[in-house]
Each structure stands twice: as structure tokens, then as C-alpha cells.
Amino acid sequence: GKGATRQLLTEVAGNRGFALKQFDCDQAVAGLLNEPEVQIGLEKLAGRLTLDDSGKLDKNWLREKLFAEKEFRIKVESFLHPLVFDRVEEYVRSESTGADAILVEVPLLYEVDFPMRKELTIVVAASRKTQVERLVSKRNLDENTARLILDSQLPIQSKIDKGDLVVWNDGDLGALRGQISAVAERIEF
């Protein structure tokens, strides 16, 4: 999916002598969810938190609550997204020296108001069937939860219409690699 696209773009850029730094907003959220201050904020929003056997935030519980309760999801997004944006800004400031470009992977770019200056937007798209299959196999979700997650997002065609470039990632790694080479030519690195 988008992670493979990010990795291949970084690889192709490096092979061409282009310093491409990268930031993954999903990883930033995962890190934030482990921070005590963030957990306190989530507890205030949820009324309580459920912990797993190791005493950490039960992310399965949180995911189920997020997609079962739209108002809760909106509150959590309003709480977390500014924190993620702060992390992006901090990363861009600290890594811009020595970088020809910085790639920021924002899964919900069009769903939330992400106030970031963008020079180029690459949409990584796949059929709904492929998206469901990937969520089930890579994140160990059941099909219903995968569909709820996708239903909470803009339709893929809307994202395609908004992007500057589109990578259709429904095939194998070889097909993706060919598209990434074409993207690299287009953006001249």
C-alpha cells in the first residue's frame, strides 16, 4: 500500500542521488498513543480507557470505539491531529537541512484539515477489495472493521480527483516499482 510506495520512492530517490526524507503520520499516532499525557486526554474523551494485558492502551478497544461512535472519532481526531501536525512541523524543521525533499505520508490528508504546505500530492489508490484484503491481512482486522474504517474515509475516486499524481497500487510489487519509476521521472529525481 502506501507504505510500500513510500519505501520505493525513497529507494529510487536515493539511487538517483536525491536526498528524500520521510515522515509517517501513522507511526506518529502510534507513538502518541503510548504517551501518558495523550492517554489522559483520551481517557477524558472516552470516559475511561481499556488497557491490554501488558498495561498499555488497548488499541483494539480504541479502534472499535472510534468506528462505532462517529462523535467520539471526531473528538479524538480533533485532539490527535494537531499533535501529529506539530510532530510533522518539528520533523520538517529538523530534517530540512540536507534534504532535497521531505515526503510526509498522511493517510487522511483529505478527510482532515491538515494545514501543511504541499508542493505535490501523490495519491496511492487501490480498489476497495484490495484495501479490505490489506487491512485484514496486514492489520489483522476482521472484514467488518476494515469496511467501517474505509467507510469513514472519502471515496477513493474523490482522493484521486484531488491528487496531483496517482499511483494505482492494486497489483504486485513489480507493477508498483514501474509506477514509482514513472513518478520519479515526472518529479525529476
Side-chain angles (χ1 to χ4, degrees), residues 14-37:
N15 290 342
R16 295 176 181 207
F18 192 87
L20 180 65
K21 303 278 183 134
Q22 54 183 297
F23 185 92
D24 183 341
C25 289
D26 278 345
Q27 287 180 354
V29 169
L32 285 165
L33 291 177
N34 291 322
E35 293 183 9
E37 304 82 26

Side-chain angles (χ1 to χ4, degrees), residues 29-179:
V29 169
L32 285 165
L33 291 177
N34 291 322
E35 293 183 9
E37 304 82 26
V38 171
Q39 291 181 3
I40 290 167
L42 289 173
E43 186 171 24
K44 287 178 182 174
L45 293 173
R48 69 176 178 85
L49 286 186
T50 300
L51 305 178
D52 63 18
D53 294 338
S54 67
K56 293 184 178 182
L57 175 65
D58 185 337
K59 293 177 184 165
N60 291 326
W61 167 84
L62 180 60
R63 182 185 307 111
E64 287 175 19
K65 187 165 179 62
L66 285 170
F67 294 103
E69 301 175 25
K70 184 178 180 178
E71 287 182 26
F72 176 67
R73 185 176 71 247
I74 291 168
K75 288 178 185 177
V76 170
E77 288 173 347
S78 295
F79 172 65
L80 285 177
H81 290 158
L83 299 174
V84 173
F85 182 67
D86 288 347
R87 297 278 169 98
V88 170
E89 282 189 313
E90 180 182 310
Y91 181 83
V92 169
R93 272 193 307 273
S94 70
E95 296 296 321
S96 59
T97 303
D100 293 313
I102 297 177
L103 176 88
V104 180
E105 185 179 327
V106 185
L108 300 176
L109 178 65
Y110 300 120
E111 287 82 357
V112 299
D113 184 24
F114 205 76
M116 184 178 78
R117 185 174 72 87
K118 301 171 259 326
E119 292 181 24
L120 177 72
T121 303
I122 301 171
V123 173
V124 180
S127 68
R128 179 152 177 118
K129 178 179 182 275
T130 298
Q131 289 176 316
V132 169
E133 288 171 356
R134 287 180 179 156
L135 285 169
V136 168
S137 68
K138 293 183 180 180
R139 292 196 186 172
N140 297 317
L141 302 178
D142 61 80
E143 282 193 32
N144 185 53
T145 301
R147 291 182 198 290
L148 286 172
I149 290 170
L150 294 174
D151 288 345
S152 73
Q153 300 177 9
L154 282 177
I156 199 68
Q157 188 59 52
S158 295
K159 294 178 184 185
I160 289 170
D161 292 343
K162 292 174 183 261
D164 298 314
L165 295 173
V166 176
V167 172
W168 187 255
N169 189 13
D170 231 19
D172 62 16
L173 196 56
L176 178 60
R177 195 175 291 279
Q179 288 189 67

